[in-house]
Amino acid sequence: MIPAAPAAANSVAAALLILVTTLSSPPSDIPVLEVVKVYGHLASSDCYGAVAPRGSSCQLTLEQVVDILGFTSPQHSAISQQEFYQRIQESPFQWPLKPYGIEKSLTKTATMNKGAETRVYMDELERRGLYDKRNPTGPLPTSLRPKLNQQLGQEGVDPVVVDRVFKAINGGSGGDLTVERLKEAFQGQDALDYYSFLDLIGKESIVWPE
């Protein structure tokens, strides 16, 4: 009788191939909160020529990202995915502002002080017991950003989502990220805003609350 071992081995190999393919494929469903968290760890307070209000981030400036990722040091010409994840974790989180309008009106973003993904922001405040919409004498939601920032910052970022962002910035590659590749992701601009960041990683893979 012919042993059944080769067939079993083939089955194991096939299962391993499926597992590796699944793990190496980009996530199709990224909660928008996780996108906000990664952006808020990387973005600066620079806001179209103004400064974002306390507890808020605004634009993702090339200068800020270069600094966070350690490219200002001569010893760091490239970083791995793991280093990218670690540096994001170590950077403070601030909830980003939503760009206000287009072109000239963008300069009003800091003044308008409207956070990105308002529904998600409010849901997080209520879920964590920081805000009660039934209490008319309670604090303004915008004043609670520092408290929410602290909690979200302590929770850290999802490594799977960070991996997706890393590859988007790195032209789809999982190899080391260089400052040249980073500049290419910015497409000649000095800064990206929240909407540009969504486009960079792919809106089709992001899930918003229904």
Side-chain angles (χ1 to χ4, degrees), residues 40-51:
H41 276 283
L42 287 171
S44 71
S45 60
D46 290 3
C47 202
Y48 307 101
V51 178

mmCIF file with all atom_site columns, all heavy atoms in Angstrom, residues 40-51:
data_model
loop_
_atom_site.group_PDB
_atom_site.id
_atom_site.type_symbol
_atom_site.label_atom_id
_atom_site.label_alt_id
_atom_site.label_comp_id
_atom_site.label_asym_id
_atom_site.label_entity_id
_atom_site.label_seq_id
_atom_site.pdbx_PDB_ins_code
_atom_site.Cartn_x
_atom_site.Cartn_y
_atom_site.Cartn_z
_atom_site.occupancy
_atom_site.B_iso_or_equiv
_atom_site.pdbx_formal_charge
_atom_site.auth_seq_id
_atom_site.auth_comp_id
_atom_site.auth_asym_id
_atom_site.auth_atom_id
_atom_site.pdbx_PDB_model_num
ATOM 1  N N   . GLY A 1 40 ? -2.752 60.811 14.122 1.00 0.00 ? 40 GLY A N   1
ATOM 2  C CA  . GLY A 1 40 ? -2.571 61.693 15.277 1.00 0.00 ? 40 GLY A CA  1
ATOM 3  C C   . GLY A 1 40 ? -1.245 61.532 15.979 1.00 0.00 ? 40 GLY A C   1
ATOM 4  O O   . GLY A 1 40 ? -0.804 62.427 16.701 1.00 0.00 ? 40 GLY A O   1
ATOM 5  N N   . HIS A 1 41 ? -0.594 60.385 15.778 1.00 0.00 ? 41 HIS A N   1
ATOM 6  C CA  . HIS A 1 41 ? 0.748  60.172 16.340 1.00 0.00 ? 41 HIS A CA  1
ATOM 7  C C   . HIS A 1 41 ? 1.824  60.811 15.464 1.00 0.00 ? 41 HIS A C   1
ATOM 8  O O   . HIS A 1 41 ? 2.917  61.110 15.943 1.00 0.00 ? 41 HIS A O   1
ATOM 9  C CB  . HIS A 1 41 ? 1.044  58.677 16.482 1.00 0.00 ? 41 HIS A CB  1
ATOM 10 C CG  . HIS A 1 41 ? 0.517  58.049 17.732 1.00 0.00 ? 41 HIS A CG  1
ATOM 11 N ND1 . HIS A 1 41 ? 1.128  58.212 18.957 1.00 0.00 ? 41 HIS A ND1 1
ATOM 12 C CD2 . HIS A 1 41 ? -0.562 57.265 17.955 1.00 0.00 ? 41 HIS A CD2 1
ATOM 13 C CE1 . HIS A 1 41 ? 0.463  57.536 19.883 1.00 0.00 ? 41 HIS A CE1 1
ATOM 14 N NE2 . HIS A 1 41 ? -0.576 56.961 19.296 1.00 0.00 ? 41 HIS A NE2 1
ATOM 15 N N   . LEU A 1 42 ? 1.520  60.980 14.180 1.00 0.00 ? 42 LEU A N   1
ATOM 16 C CA  . LEU A 1 42 ? 2.513  61.504 13.235 1.00 0.00 ? 42 LEU A CA  1
ATOM 17 C C   . LEU A 1 42 ? 2.343  62.993 12.927 1.00 0.00 ? 42 LEU A C   1
ATOM 18 O O   . LEU A 1 42 ? 3.312  63.668 12.580 1.00 0.00 ? 42 LEU A O   1
ATOM 19 C CB  . LEU A 1 42 ? 2.431  60.725 11.918 1.00 0.00 ? 42 LEU A CB  1
ATOM 20 C CG  . LEU A 1 42 ? 2.967  59.298 11.905 1.00 0.00 ? 42 LEU A CG  1
ATOM 21 C CD1 . LEU A 1 42 ? 2.609  58.609 10.587 1.00 0.00 ? 42 LEU A CD1 1
ATOM 22 C CD2 . LEU A 1 42 ? 4.470  59.275 12.121 1.00 0.00 ? 42 LEU A CD2 1
ATOM 23 N N   . ALA A 1 43 ? 1.105  63.496 13.035 1.00 0.00 ? 43 ALA A N   1
ATOM 24 C CA  . ALA A 1 43 ? 0.819  64.872 12.612 1.00 0.00 ? 43 ALA A CA  1
ATOM 25 C C   . ALA A 1 43 ? 1.355  65.909 13.593 1.00 0.00 ? 43 ALA A C   1
ATOM 26 O O   . ALA A 1 43 ? 1.549  65.637 14.784 1.00 0.00 ? 43 ALA A O   1
ATOM 27 C CB  . ALA A 1 43 ? -0.687 65.052 12.429 1.00 0.00 ? 43 ALA A CB  1
ATOM 28 N N   . SER A 1 44 ? 1.542  67.121 13.089 1.00 0.00 ? 44 SER A N   1
ATOM 29 C CA  . SER A 1 44 ? 2.056  68.229 13.891 1.00 0.00 ? 44 SER A CA  1
ATOM 30 C C   . SER A 1 44 ? 0.932  69.213 14.211 1.00 0.00 ? 44 SER A C   1
ATOM 31 O O   . SER A 1 44 ? -0.209 69.046 13.793 1.00 0.00 ? 44 SER A O   1
ATOM 32 C CB  . SER A 1 44 ? 3.159  68.965 13.123 1.00 0.00 ? 44 SER A CB  1
ATOM 33 O OG  . SER A 1 44 ? 2.595  69.698 12.046 1.00 0.00 ? 44 SER A OG  1
ATOM 34 N N   . SER A 1 45 ? 1.273  70.259 14.941 1.00 0.00 ? 45 SER A N   1
ATOM 35 C CA  . SER A 1 45 ? 0.298  71.313 15.254 1.00 0.00 ? 45 SER A CA  1
ATOM 36 C C   . SER A 1 45 ? 0.262  72.380 14.158 1.00 0.00 ? 45 SER A C   1
ATOM 37 O O   . SER A 1 45 ? -0.557 73.298 14.221 1.00 0.00 ? 45 SER A O   1
ATOM 38 C CB  . SER A 1 45 ? 0.625  71.959 16.609 1.00 0.00 ? 45 SER A CB  1
ATOM 39 O OG  . SER A 1 45 ? 1.920  72.532 16.570 1.00 0.00 ? 45 SER A OG  1
ATOM 40 N N   . ASP A 1 46 ? 1.157  72.258 13.163 1.00 0.00 ? 46 ASP A N   1
ATOM 41 C CA  . ASP A 1 46 ? 1.136  73.188 12.037 1.00 0.00 ? 46 ASP A CA  1
ATOM 42 C C   . ASP A 1 46 ? -0.199 73.068 11.320 1.00 0.00 ? 46 ASP A C   1
ATOM 43 O O   . ASP A 1 46 ? -0.645 71.960 11.002 1.00 0.00 ? 46 ASP A O   1
ATOM 44 C CB  . ASP A 1 46 ? 2.261  72.876 11.048 1.00 0.00 ? 46 ASP A CB  1
ATOM 45 C CG  . ASP A 1 46 ? 3.633  73.204 11.607 1.00 0.00 ? 46 ASP A CG  1
ATOM 46 O OD1 . ASP A 1 46 ? 3.709  73.620 12.776 1.00 0.00 ? 46 ASP A OD1 1
ATOM 47 O OD2 . ASP A 1 46 ? 4.626  73.036 10.882 1.00 0.00 ? 46 ASP A OD2 1
ATOM 48 N N   . CYS A 1 47 ? -0.836 74.215 11.031 1.00 0.00 ? 47 CYS A N   1
ATOM 49 C CA  . CYS A 1 47 ? -2.196 74.173 10.497 1.00 0.00 ? 47 CYS A CA  1
ATOM 50 C C   . CYS A 1 47 ? -2.426 75.274 9.465  1.00 0.00 ? 47 CYS A C   1
ATOM 51 O O   . CYS A 1 47 ? -3.035 76.300 9.755  1.00 0.00 ? 47 CYS A O   1
ATOM 52 C CB  . CYS A 1 47 ? -3.192 74.283 11.651 1.00 0.00 ? 47 CYS A CB  1
ATOM 53 S SG  . CYS A 1 47 ? -4.821 73.635 11.284 1.00 0.00 ? 47 CYS A SG  1
ATOM 54 N N   . TYR A 1 48 ? -1.885 75.065 8.269  1.00 0.00 ? 48 TYR A N   1
ATOM 55 C CA  . TYR A 1 48 ? -2.081 76.011 7.165  1.00 0.00 ? 48 TYR A CA  1
ATOM 56 C C   . TYR A 1 48 ? -1.662 77.432 7.543  1.00 0.00 ? 48 TYR A C   1
ATOM 57 O O   . TYR A 1 48 ? -2.389 78.390 7.350  1.00 0.00 ? 48 TYR A O   1
ATOM 58 C CB  . TYR A 1 48 ? -3.536 76.004 6.706  1.00 0.00 ? 48 TYR A CB  1
ATOM 59 C CG  . TYR A 1 48 ? -4.061 74.629 6.382  1.00 0.00 ? 48 TYR A CG  1
ATOM 60 C CD1 . TYR A 1 48 ? -4.861 73.942 7.278  1.00 0.00 ? 48 TYR A CD1 1
ATOM 61 C CD2 . TYR A 1 48 ? -3.737 74.013 5.166  1.00 0.00 ? 48 TYR A CD2 1
ATOM 62 C CE1 . TYR A 1 48 ? -5.330 72.668 6.992  1.00 0.00 ? 48 TYR A CE1 1
ATOM 63 C CE2 . TYR A 1 48 ? -4.206 72.744 4.870  1.00 0.00 ? 48 TYR A CE2 1
ATOM 64 C CZ  . TYR A 1 48 ? -5.002 72.075 5.783  1.00 0.00 ? 48 TYR A CZ  1
ATOM 65 O OH  . TYR A 1 48 ? -5.470 70.801 5.498  1.00 0.00 ? 48 TYR A OH  1
ATOM 66 N N   . GLY A 1 49 ? -0.490 77.538 8.142  1.00 0.00 ? 49 GLY A N   1
ATOM 67 C CA  . GLY A 1 49 ? 0.029  78.848 8.540  1.00 0.00 ? 49 GLY A CA  1
ATOM 68 C C   . GLY A 1 49 ? -0.355 79.270 9.932  1.00 0.00 ? 49 GLY A C   1
ATOM 69 O O   . GLY A 1 49 ? 0.122  80.294 10.428 1.00 0.00 ? 49 GLY A O   1
ATOM 70 N N   . ALA A 1 50 ? -1.205 78.515 10.594 1.00 0.00 ? 50 ALA A N   1
ATOM 71 C CA  . ALA A 1 50 ? -1.610 78.800 11.976 1.00 0.00 ? 50 ALA A CA  1
ATOM 72 C C   . ALA A 1 50 ? -1.165 77.633 12.861 1.00 0.00 ? 50 ALA A C   1
ATOM 73 O O   . ALA A 1 50 ? -0.473 76.717 12.408 1.00 0.00 ? 50 ALA A O   1
ATOM 74 C CB  . ALA A 1 50 ? -3.123 79.000 12.054 1.00 0.00 ? 50 ALA A CB  1
ATOM 75 N N   . VAL A 1 51 ? -1.573 77.673 14.125 1.00 0.00 ? 51 VAL A N   1
ATOM 76 C CA  . VAL A 1 51 ? -1.256 76.605 15.068 1.00 0.00 ? 51 VAL A CA  1
ATOM 77 C C   . VAL A 1 51 ? -2.558 75.988 15.558 1.00 0.00 ? 51 VAL A C   1
ATOM 78 O O   . VAL A 1 51 ? -3.488 76.704 15.943 1.00 0.00 ? 51 VAL A O   1
ATOM 79 C CB  . VAL A 1 51 ? -0.446 77.147 16.275 1.00 0.00 ? 51 VAL A CB  1
ATOM 80 C CG1 . VAL A 1 51 ? -0.173 76.034 17.283 1.00 0.00 ? 51 VAL A CG1 1
ATOM 81 C CG2 . VAL A 1 51 ? 0.869  77.762 15.796 1.00 0.00 ? 51 VAL A CG2 1
#
